[in-house]
Amino acid sequence: TMSSVNKSAHAFDKVRLDSLLNRRFFYAPAFEIYGGVAGLYDYGPAGSSLQANIIAEWRKHFIIEEHMLELDTTIMTPAPVFETSGHVARFADWMVKDTKTGDVLRADHLVKGVLEARLRGDKEARGEIQGPVVEDPKKRKKKGAVEAQKAVKLEDSAVKEYEYILAKLDDYTGPELGDLLTKHTITNPDTSNPVSAPIPFNLMFASSIGPTGQHPGFLRPETAQGHFTNFARLLDFNNGKIPFASAQVGRAFRNEISPRAGLLRVREFTMAEIEHFVDPDDKSHPRFPEIKDVELSLLDKHTQSSGQTTIRTMTLGDAVSQGVIANETLAYFLARISAFLLKIGIHSDKLRFRQHMANEMAHYATDCWDAEIFNHQAGGWTECVGCADRAAYDLSVHAKKTGAPLIVREALREPIVEEKLGAEWKKKELGKAFRGDAAEITKAVDALNEQALVTVQEALEKGSYEVTLASGNKVQLTKEYLSIEKKTIKTSIREYTPNVIEPSFGLGRIMYALLEHSFWAREADIERGVLSLPPLVAPTKVLIVPLSAKEEFVPLVKEVSQKLRRAGIFSNVDDSNTSIGKRYARNDELGTPFGVTLDFASVKNGTMTLRERDTTDQLIGPIDDVIAVVADLVQGNLEWPEACGKLKKYDGVQDA
Amino acid sequence: TMSSVNKSAHAFDKVRLDSLLNRRFFYAPAFEIYGGVAGLYDYGPAGSSLQANIIAEWRKHFIIEEHMLELDTTIMTPAPVFETSGHVARFADWMVKDTKTGDVLRADHLVKGVLEARLRGDKEARGEIQGPVVEDPKKRKKKGAVEAQKAVKLEDSAVKEYEYILAKLDDYTGPELGDLLTKHTITNPDTSNPVSAPIPFNLMFASSIGPTGQHPGFLRPETAQGHFTNFARLLDFNNGKIPFASAQVGRAFRNEISPRAGLLRVREFTMAEIEHFVDPDDKSHPRFPEIKDVELSLLDKHTQSSGQTTIRTMTLGDAVSQGVIANETLAYFLARISAFLLKIGIHSDKLRFRQHMANEMAHYATDCWDAEIFNHQAGGWTECVGCADRAAYDLSVHAKKTGAPLIVREALREPIVEEKLGAEWKKKELGKAFRGDAAEITKAVDALNEQALVTVQEALEKGSYEVTLASGNKVQLTKEYLSIEKKTIKTSIREYTPNVIEPSFGLGRIMYALLEHSFWAREADIERGVLSLPPLVAPTKVLIVPLSAKEEFVPLVKEVSQKLRRAGIFSNVDDSNTSIGKRYARNDELGTPFGVTLDFASVKNGTMTLRERDTTDQLIGPIDDVIAVVADLVQGNLEWPEACGKLKKYDGVQDA
């Protein structure tokens, strides 16, 4: 029988988690020996490996399972691309400056921090919560834009107003944020100085390409434009058919105004993006029936706009049929996103999907939902995946700017036959009379729509129709040169710009949230932190622990390593000169789910013990049997309780 | 029996290869619809997948096999890091400007292009080669820095001099390149205008970090500094022991002056780097015996400095013992690099290792070898992997700049006991007399070396020793405060800065060379290009070809897909409405090594055929038998000739 484990014996302790992540080099501030740079982090061996496993699963779950077309496009991007996409004009956050020190703060974060502090102060004054422990003021300052919490009771109406503002915070424009700062006399909490009106700050890192400095460029703030500019090639690769999706995992950069939230808000990050190209007239999804009964926690835009944050749990079938989610394809991706996050270990009760409100969403978008994950770093919910229906915006603007035909041409099953007005030209006469201008004249008239052609027809009946050439010269056309007649037009091709549904993943945020959700401490000893990472993503799957580094264990360690490798399982050996218990404790911190111990019994009897991280239960059996069980466990074909039925329980003392 | 294949029936045709790579979207100019940007390329589905497979094999071959510590560090780097490393001052190429048009050219490429053209012109004049086909002059201009080849005979001495210059081209400094330009009257071949003297152009892309613009930053031109700045953490992760290696795969950026050689010289690229930290006093390698008999093609520095390019084939054992390669660890990595390149499909006769010459190598480096691969794009050999012994340079400069202890502390097996002079302080008297200055005084004297202490001793004997404080005040020390005495010093810890051996891979260059080496055309039809990529790296391993897209084949296609996936094999289905032969030909272009055909016999008898790409041979058997053979083939446990003994030969007509 399996031991029961109490993972919530100790309250979540962020200080201990941060210490573990730093000490075991999951990640650390980049260029730390140079004092570091805000918003830049390096991943060490444990973090790199965890990230690589998350990416590998992402590739399987999305690219392979859904036959997406993978891309790897450049980060450095010439300015015209982002001028067209709108990023140069609009990819900005609102910042304010401390009017005395010149310190820069992000306007919405300032409003949020101050109002939340006031609400906490109010609760304290009302005796609803305990006041905060008085902190070292130096430390306080470092923590930044949070007004010192004072136990001051607020008017009931103020409480209500603050809660309303916080619920729809993402929906305010820059000037509106400025109004809030003034109305609620919000100052820089670090200095109590007033702040300037919000001004936009473009978040793209700028550089220039080539030795002459003539070609301005930006580091991409998302991978999406690399998909859109390659659309025609991708469509061709897919034999001209849609729907299809492209996918890309890569670095992106945002020059955040004041990054202070660990991995949640960084200046350089790895993201994974999908652009699913779909017929604008048909956003159904063939696999929707498979997910229609999946229930998600939804926070829709109407709820938020009314100042509420109540979550509704509903099936995706209901959400689409009731118009909460715009279409089947969007809903299908929300289900897939949820399945992916749960599979890698995100806790289901800390996952919700929040819909963008009207101002928050780009004007062209039809609908947008964020997968938000609860975490203590943010003290709330953080957007980790965005999923937007961007309509035809991106392809349209690039096509318009470059003239590239970013469209789908589809053979119609039945050609459409229409009666339409059209010009019948007398080419010979036209050529004689107008020579080189003839082509321009025909082009101008042929481009006219039905209604305009009626006007031409009437003008010709009355005498002549005047065309103005590019040169400014005016030309009089008469019936001598053309007539306007009803024509039968047969269309057998439909041309259209596809719509784009874009799921976009911030991998660093997801990884950090996963680390929080995985962290706990042993009931008997708060110092013994454990990361309960699922085997699927754990950096190391199996720790091999020989009793000692002595010669006699070397061949056995080699044998077990090789057998695990052949079974496709990544293992590590810890033969350091310390107790087996300590070695296991050290690897609990790294999230290693299984351990096998090689001791004198192994040498003598060919057995080894198998230890599970969370329960610390141990089983024992012949080496090959244990490896077979481990392989099933790691590949997800077996859960630990079942494994306990397959091997004998071991009551040794290694894991003291 | 297996069919024989003549892969060299047609001469290598770069135009056809380029067309294939572009048409099938292995890669294409980035932002092509915006006119593109020199030196930036996007990888499409085929290229992304090929690259991903090369990286996966690299990880296995190096990181997993050698237990390296993986890192993922930031691209954006604050300027002080590159000031310390020397990149701000020295990471530059020499450029010249066309004195009339202002066009910018890279000085060494200009010299190379012009001298090579003159040598070809000389050969033509001597009747040794045919003249070039006259090209469209517009096209010529695009191709850039190559002087139009004219059939002009040169003096024998000039031929010799040009050949000498070309052999040691990488060894010239900027001013020396300037001298060559003048001496040989080299002008811009596009315009025939004179060019300016060479000036250095720093290749790093600059940007600035944060909203105030105060923090200049650069995009890393290599990943190495991210390893060095994290050295202390890595050493700690490795329990304080060396040797160990860190490894990283990631993007790097170089603002090339005039990139014109496809994937060989780009402004943004993916690289894979290893930093192997080793004891400077012991660069032996435990696995050297495993590779000492491996033979490599070597072009050493002495050969090149004497103006020759003769390659010597020697074993690594001989190369190290004869001092051709500096040490075992360097030689071990050369062997591993060679094994990796051959495994992914680089042709062994197109691989050589070239040693850097004195000027070419950084002054601190001990030895440096490039793995060079022959290719037609370069019309010669291209550096694809560098492997340098960088000594203690990097860690030393960062430690000096930041004060961080980037050192190894190693317990000595036997403590070293030495007799040394040292100061014996009379602390009480010193404190009374000098108060707050006492600490500064003791520190100053304690820091003196043996020889200086002798001087102090003599001065004290004569009366007093003068110490100058930071304040400028002078202090007279007498025997009242200290004496200099022989002391027994026991050292049980050895402290040292490790040396670094750095293998650094340019993955895009390797991928391009591999594509060239893999490309050929069917003997019977030059239009039928094939990419003979090894199964290990081929984007798709198996193509599933149902006779048609009809309903009746759907369950079978699904079954075969699932069985292949379960066997860990990535497959693709081509059910397009075209002949089976055409579908295979299309996938020969993508390098897909195997194909299985599902037809009426499959539905009826449960058999399928298996087709091999290079021979186009086909075998037939029960579906499960074929899948078992395919799995062995893809995993490299079986070669095609052996597979032919395991399944029946099929003489059908699908592959007409």
Side-chain angles (χ1 to χ4, degrees):
Chain A
T1 59
M2 207 182 80
S3 305
S4 71
V5 186
N6 181 2
K7 291 190 184 177
S8 44
H10 307 288
F12 175 80
D13 188 336
K14 187 156 184 310
V15 172
R16 283 182 199 277
L17 172 62
D18 285 345
S19 154
L20 183 162
L21 297 178
N22 188 283
R23 191 162 31 82
R24 306 311 305 274
F25 200 6
F26 275 81
Y27 59 89
F31 315 109
E32 200 178 11
I33 62 173
Y34 281 82
V37 180
L40 294 180
Y41 289 89
D42 289 341
Y43 290 9
S48 298
S49 181
L50 176 56
Q51 179 186 245
N53 294 342
I54 291 172
I55 290 173
E57 185 52 35
W58 191 90
R59 281 211 163 88
K60 258 192 224 161
H61 187 87
F62 290 103
I63 299 185
I64 295 187
E65 173 81 21
E66 313 262 3
H67 281 95
M68 295 175 175
L69 305 184
E70 190 161 3
L71 279 176
D72 190 10
T73 69
T74 64
I75 292 167
M76 182 62 73
T77 307
V81 174
F82 286 127
E83 281 158 12
T84 305
S85 68
H87 284 81
V88 169
R90 289 187 303 270
F91 196 73
D93 277 341
W94 295 94
M95 68 175 183
V96 295
K97 282 194 180 180
D98 183 305
T99 49
K100 288 181 185 156
T101 64
D103 284 351
V104 169
L105 303 166
R106 205 176 121 171
D108 56 344
H109 290 179
L110 174 61
V111 170
K112 183 166 189 265
V114 168
L115 296 193
E116 281 179 350
R118 289 184 190 168
L119 285 172
R120 277 196 309 273
D122 171 72
K123 281 213 169 92
E124 196 189 332
R126 290 171 192 249
E128 293 171 19
I129 56 165
Q130 291 289 324
V133 181
V134 178
E135 287 181 59
D136 174 3
K138 256 193 187 162
K139 241 181 159 182
R140 278 260 333 103
K141 193 161 178 197
K142 261 195 185 162
K143 277 189 158 183
V146 184
E147 194 177 59
Q149 178 178 329
K150 289 176 208 135
V152 175
K153 190 165 178 301
L154 301 170
E155 297 289 325
D156 287 0
S157 62
V159 171
K160 221 169 164 186
E161 188 173 0
Y162 288 1
E163 281 171 348
Y164 176 83
I165 292 167
L166 290 169
K168 57 169 286 189
L169 188 66
D170 291 329
D171 209 31
Y172 291 105
T173 63
E176 285 169 352
L177 288 169
D179 293 344
L180 292 176
L181 293 171
T182 312
K183 180 172 178 198
H184 302 288
T185 51
I186 293 172
T187 57
N188 180 357
D190 289 344
T191 62
S192 300
N193 298 330
V195 297
S196 71
I199 46 173
F201 172 69
N202 195 296
L203 297 183
M204 290 194 295
F205 282 101
S207 191
S208 86
I209 307 170
T212 54
Q214 292 157 321
H215 303 292
F218 294 103
L219 304 187
R220 66 181 179 198
E222 56 174 33
T223 76
Q225 304 308 318
H227 302 237
F228 302 138
T229 53
N230 280 303
F231 174 74
R233 285 186 171 275
L234 290 166
L235 180 67
D236 181 56
F237 195 89
N238 207 47
N239 297 323
K241 288 187 243 172
I242 71 161
F244 73 85
S246 55
Q248 178 166 201
V249 181
R251 248 354 125 80
F253 293 78
R254 296 183 188 177
N255 195 6
E256 294 286 347
I257 291 169
S258 176
R260 322 197 199 192
L263 291 193
L264 297 187
R265 188 162 299 281
V266 292
R267 286 175 165 151
E268 177 176 344
F269 50 97
T270 301
M271 66 194 308
E273 283 191 314
I274 294 165
E275 308 296 336
H276 180 87
F277 299 96
V278 64
D279 185 339
D281 295 344
D282 178 12
K283 294 184 182 175
S284 66
H285 196 288
R287 295 181 71 177
F288 185 72
E290 294 175 32
I291 56 93
K292 75 176 176 19
D293 296 326
V294 170
E295 284 192 337
L296 296 185
S297 303
L298 303 181
L299 174 55
D300 66 50
K301 59 185 170 191
H302 304 299
T303 306
Q304 295 165 78
S305 295
S306 68
Q308 305 290 313
T309 55
T310 323
I311 285 168
R312 277 202 288 173
T313 301
M314 50 193 317
T315 67
L316 288 167
D318 287 347
V320 171
S321 66
Q322 294 172 26
V324 177
I325 296 173
N327 57 63
E328 283 190 4
T329 301
L330 199 54
Y332 178 75
F333 276 111
L334 297 187
R336 295 287 296 160
I337 290 164
S338 172
F340 170 74
L341 294 173
L342 300 180
K343 202 193 278 180
I344 63 167
I346 292 297
H347 289 188
S348 61
D349 59 336
K350 292 175 185 160
L351 173 62
R352 73 177 187 189
F353 289 84
R354 187 181 73 78
Q355 191 172 29
H356 280 208
M357 291 168 277
N359 280 348
E360 192 180 355
M361 196 159 60
H363 65 275
Y364 48 79
T366 310
D367 195 5
C368 181
W369 291 81
D370 289 342
E372 294 189 330
I373 306 180
F374 181 85
N375 66 90
H376 291 86
Q377 170 80 56
W381 298 88
T382 299
E383 175 203 344
C384 291
V385 188
C387 191
D389 182 337
R390 304 172 59 92
Y393 174 75
D394 307 279
L395 293 179
S396 303
V397 292
H398 287 301
K400 193 173 164 207
K401 179 73 186 177
T402 64
L406 304 181
I407 49 166
V408 175
R409 291 169 52 86
E410 211 170 72
L412 291 169
R413 285 189 191 193
E414 303 228 354
I416 297 168
V417 179
E418 291 170 296
E419 292 277 295
K420 275 187 171 178
L421 286 181
E424 198 65 49
W425 295 96
K426 284 154 194 162
K427 293 209 170 145
K428 209 169 143 192
E429 288 77 8
L430 190 79
K432 258 190 195 159
F434 302 103
R435 311 247 170 133
D437 291 336
E440 193 185 342
I441 293 166
T442 50
K443 206 176 160 197
V445 175
D446 287 345
L448 296 174
N449 65 18
E450 194 84 1
Q451 208 178 347
L453 286 172
V454 172
T455 315
V456 177
Q457 197 172 27
E458 288 165 2
L460 290 174
E461 286 304 324
K462 284 179 192 160
S464 70
Y465 173 73
E466 188 178 271
V467 173
T468 308
L469 300 178
S471 61
N473 292 344
K474 287 177 199 304
V475 160
Q476 299 299 327
L477 295 177
T478 62
K479 282 189 183 171
E480 201 180 334
Y481 307 113
L482 81 160
S483 58
I484 302 297
E485 283 162 28
K486 272 259 183 264
K487 287 177 164 186
T488 303
I489 312 267
K490 190 174 140 185
T491 317
S492 49
I493 298 284
R494 177 183 161 222
E495 280 191 355
Y496 62 91
T497 304
N499 278 12
V500 172
I501 290 173
E502 178 191 79
S504 172
F505 296 69
L507 295 174
R509 291 180 172 192
I510 293 171
M511 186 175 104
Y512 175 75
L514 172 61
L515 288 165
E516 262 204 14
H517 294 192
S518 305
F519 180 65
W520 57 287
R522 300 262 180 230
E523 188 168 5
D525 184 357
I526 196 170
E527 300 288 339
R528 287 190 59 186
V530 183
L531 282 177
S532 283
L533 296 169
L536 187 70
V537 294
T540 301
K541 312 304 182 193
V542 180
L543 184 74
I544 301 171
V545 188
L547 191 61
S548 78
K550 276 188 194 139
E551 212 57 62
E552 56 195 319
F553 296 113
V554 172
L556 214 52
V557 167
K558 209 170 162 182
E559 181 196 329
V560 172
S561 290
Q562 273 180 352
K563 283 182 172 168
L564 286 170
R565 197 180 330 170
R566 258 182 239 135
I569 298 165
F570 184 62
S571 69
N572 245 329
V573 179
D574 186 347
D575 60 1
S576 59
N577 188 20
T578 178
S579 79
I580 287 182
K582 257 211 185 111
R583 282 185 265 169
Y584 274 135
R586 208 155 61 183
N587 281 276
D588 288 345
E589 288 193 332
L590 292 175
T592 310
F594 305 107
V596 296
T597 313
L598 297 167
D599 55 16
F600 294 113
S602 310
V603 177
K604 214 172 115 193
N605 312 327
T607 59
M608 64 180 177
T609 62
L610 170 62
R611 179 220 192 230
E612 196 271 338
R613 174 195 60 208
D614 294 0
T615 58
T616 72
D617 277 348
Q618 296 193 70
L619 308 176
I620 188 164
I623 288 176
D624 287 341
D625 293 6
V626 172
I627 286 174
V629 167
V630 167
D632 277 340
L633 284 166
V634 168
Q635 282 147 21
N637 304 326
L638 197 71
E639 296 294 317
W640 184 249
E642 301 162 66
C644 293
K646 297 212 160 192
L647 295 169
K648 251 177 57 187
K649 195 168 167 65
Y650 179 72
D651 293 312
V653 290
Q654 292 114 323
D655 195 44
Chain B
T1 61
M2 207 181 78
S3 306
S4 70
V5 187
N6 181 3
K7 291 190 183 176
S8 45
H10 308 286
F12 175 80
D13 187 335
K14 187 156 183 312
V15 173
R16 282 182 200 278
L17 172 62
D18 285 345
S19 153
L20 184 161
L21 297 177
N22 188 283
R23 192 163 29 83
R24 307 311 304 276
F25 201 6
F26 275 81
Y27 59 90
F31 314 107
E32 201 178 11
I33 62 173
Y34 281 81
V37 180
L40 294 181
Y41 289 89
D42 289 341
Y43 290 9
S48 298
S49 181
L50 176 58
Q51 179 186 244
N53 294 341
I54 291 172
I55 290 172
E57 185 52 34
W58 192 89
R59 281 210 164 89
K60 260 192 222 160
H61 188 87
F62 290 102
I63 299 185
I64 296 187
E65 174 80 21
E66 313 263 2
H67 281 94
M68 295 174 176
L69 305 183
E70 190 160 4
L71 279 176
D72 191 10
T73 69
T74 65
I75 292 167
M76 181 62 74
T77 307
V81 174
F82 286 127
E83 280 159 12
T84 305
S85 68
H87 284 81
V88 169
R90 288 188 303 270
F91 195 72
D93 277 342
W94 295 94
M95 69 176 184
V96 295
K97 281 195 181 179
D98 183 306
T99 48
K100 287 183 187 157
T101 64
D103 285 351
V104 169
L105 303 166
R106 205 175 122 171
D108 57 343
H109 290 181
L110 174 62
V111 170
K112 182 166 189 265
V114 169
L115 296 193
E116 281 179 350
R118 287 184 192 168
L119 285 172
R120 278 195 308 275
D122 171 73
K123 280 214 169 92
E124 197 190 331
R126 290 172 193 249
E128 293 171 18
I129 55 165
Q130 290 290 323
V133 181
V134 177
E135 286 181 59
D136 174 3
K138 257 192 187 162
K139 242 180 159 181
R140 280 262 329 101
K141 192 161 179 197
K142 262 195 185 161
K143 277 190 159 180
V146 183
E147 194 177 62
Q149 179 178 328
K150 288 176 209 136
V152 176
K153 190 166 178 298
L154 302 169
E155 296 290 323
D156 287 359
S157 62
V159 170
K160 224 169 162 186
E161 189 172 2
Y162 288 0
E163 282 168 349
Y164 176 83
I165 292 167
L166 290 170
K168 59 169 286 191
L169 189 66
D170 292 329
D171 210 32
Y172 291 105
T173 63
E176 285 169 352
L177 287 170
D179 294 344
L180 291 176
L181 292 172
T182 312
K183 180 172 177 199
H184 300 291
T185 51
I186 293 172
T187 57
N188 179 357
D190 289 343
T191 61
S192 300
N193 298 331
V195 296
S196 71
I199 46 173
F201 172 69
N202 195 296
L203 297 183
M204 290 194 294
F205 281 100
S207 191
S208 87
I209 307 171
T212 55
Q214 292 157 321
H215 302 293
F218 294 103
L219 303 188
R220 66 181 179 199
E222 57 175 32
T223 76
Q225 304 308 319
H227 303 236
F228 302 138
T229 52
N230 280 302
F231 173 74
R233 285 186 170 275
L234 290 166
L235 180 66
D236 181 56
F237 196 89
N238 207 46
N239 297 323
K241 289 188 244 170
I242 72 161
F244 73 86
S246 56
Q248 179 166 200
V249 181
R251 252 347 130 80
F253 293 78
R254 296 184 187 176
N255 195 6
E256 293 287 348
I257 291 168
S258 175
R260 321 197 200 193
L263 290 193
L264 298 186
R265 187 162 300 282
V266 292
R267 288 176 163 150
E268 177 176 344
F269 49 98
T270 301
M271 66 193 309
E273 283 191 313
I274 294 165
E275 309 295 337
H276 181 86
F277 299 96
V278 63
D279 185 338
D281 295 344
D282 178 11
K283 294 185 184 174
S284 67
H285 195 287
R287 296 182 70 176
F288 185 74
E290 294 175 31
I291 57 93
K292 73 176 176 23
D293 296 326
V294 170
E295 285 193 334
L296 296 184
S297 303
L298 303 181
L299 174 56
D300 65 48
K301 59 186 170 192
H302 304 298
T303 306
Q304 295 164 78
S305 296
S306 69
Q308 304 292 311
T309 54
T310 323
I311 285 167
R312 277 202 289 173
T313 302
M314 42 189 330
T315 67
L316 289 166
D318 287 348
V320 172
S321 66
Q322 293 171 27
V324 177
I325 296 173
N327 58 63
E328 282 190 5
T329 300
L330 200 54
Y332 178 75
F333 277 111
L334 296 186
R336 295 286 297 158
I337 291 164
S338 172
F340 170 74
L341 293 173
L342 299 181
K343 202 193 278 179
I344 63 166
I346 292 298
H347 288 188
S348 61
D349 59 335
K350 293 174 185 161
L351 173 62
R352 73 178 188 188
F353 289 83
R354 188 181 72 78
Q355 191 172 30
H356 280 208
M357 291 167 277
N359 282 346
E360 193 182 354
M361 197 158 60
H363 66 275
Y364 48 80
T366 311
D367 195 5
C368 181
W369 291 81
D370 289 341
E372 293 189 330
I373 306 181
F374 181 85
N375 66 90
H376 291 86
Q377 169 81 55
W381 298 87
T382 300
E383 175 203 345
C384 292
V385 188
C387 191
D389 183 336
R390 303 173 60 92
Y393 174 75
D394 307 279
L395 293 180
S396 304
V397 293
H398 286 300
K400 194 174 163 208
K401 178 74 186 176
T402 64
L406 305 181
I407 50 165
V408 175
R409 291 169 52 85
E410 210 171 72
L412 291 169
R413 286 189 190 192
E414 304 229 353
I416 297 169
V417 180
E418 292 170 296
E419 294 275 295
K420 276 186 169 177
L421 286 182
E424 198 65 49
W425 295 97
K426 285 153 191 162
K427 293 210 169 144
K428 209 169 141 192
E429 288 75 10
L430 191 78
K432 260 192 195 159
F434 301 106
R435 313 245 170 133
D437 290 336
E440 193 184 343
I441 293 167
T442 50
K443 205 176 159 195
V445 175
D446 286 346
L448 296 173
N449 65 18
E450 193 84 1
Q451 208 177 345
L453 287 172
V454 173
T455 315
V456 177
Q457 198 171 27
E458 288 167 2
L460 290 173
E461 287 304 324
K462 285 179 191 159
S464 71
Y465 173 72
E466 188 178 272
V467 174
T468 308
L469 300 178
S471 61
N473 292 343
K474 287 178 198 306
V475 160
Q476 299 299 327
L477 295 176
T478 63
K479 280 189 186 171
E480 200 179 335
Y481 308 113
L482 81 162
S483 58
I484 303 296
E485 283 164 27
K486 272 260 184 262
K487 289 178 163 184
T488 304
I489 311 270
K490 190 173 139 184
T491 317
S492 50
I493 298 284
R494 176 182 161 225
E495 281 191 354
Y496 61 92
T497 304
N499 279 11
V500 173
I501 289 172
E502 177 190 80
S504 172
F505 296 69
L507 294 175
R509 290 180 173 191
I510 292 171
M511 185 174 105
Y512 174 75
L514 172 61
L515 287 166
E516 261 204 12
H517 293 192
S518 304
F519 180 65
W520 57 287
R522 300 263 180 230
E523 189 167 5
D525 183 359
I526 195 170
E527 300 289 338
R528 288 190 58 186
V530 183
L531 282 178
S532 284
L533 297 168
L536 187 70
V537 294
T540 301
K541 313 304 181 193
V542 180
L543 184 73
I544 302 172
V545 188
L547 191 61
S548 77
K550 276 188 194 139
E551 211 58 62
E552 57 196 317
F553 295 113
V554 171
L556 214 52
V557 167
K558 209 169 162 185
E559 180 195 330
V560 173
S561 289
Q562 274 180 351
K563 283 183 171 168
L564 286 169
R565 197 179 332 170
R566 258 181 238 135
I569 298 165
F570 184 62
S571 68
N572 245 330
V573 179
D574 187 346
D575 59 3
S576 59
N577 188 20
T578 177
S579 78
I580 288 181
K582 261 215 181 104
R583 283 183 266 170
Y584 274 135
R586 209 154 61 181
N587 281 277
D588 289 345
E589 288 193 332
L590 292 175
T592 310
F594 304 107
V596 295
T597 312
L598 297 168
D599 55 16
F600 294 112
S602 310
V603 177
K604 212 171 116 193
N605 313 327
T607 59
M608 63 181 177
T609 62
L610 170 62
R611 181 224 192 225
E612 196 271 338
R613 174 195 59 209
D614 294 359
T615 58
T616 72
D617 277 347
Q618 296 193 70
L619 308 176
I620 188 164
I623 288 177
D624 287 341
D625 293 6
V626 173
I627 287 175
V629 168
V630 167
D632 277 340
L633 284 165
V634 168
Q635 282 148 20
N637 304 327
L638 196 71
E639 295 293 319
W640 184 250
E642 301 161 67
C644 292
K646 297 210 162 193
L647 295 169
K648 250 177 57 186
K649 194 168 168 64
Y650 179 71
D651 293 313
V653 289
Q654 290 115 323
D655 196 44

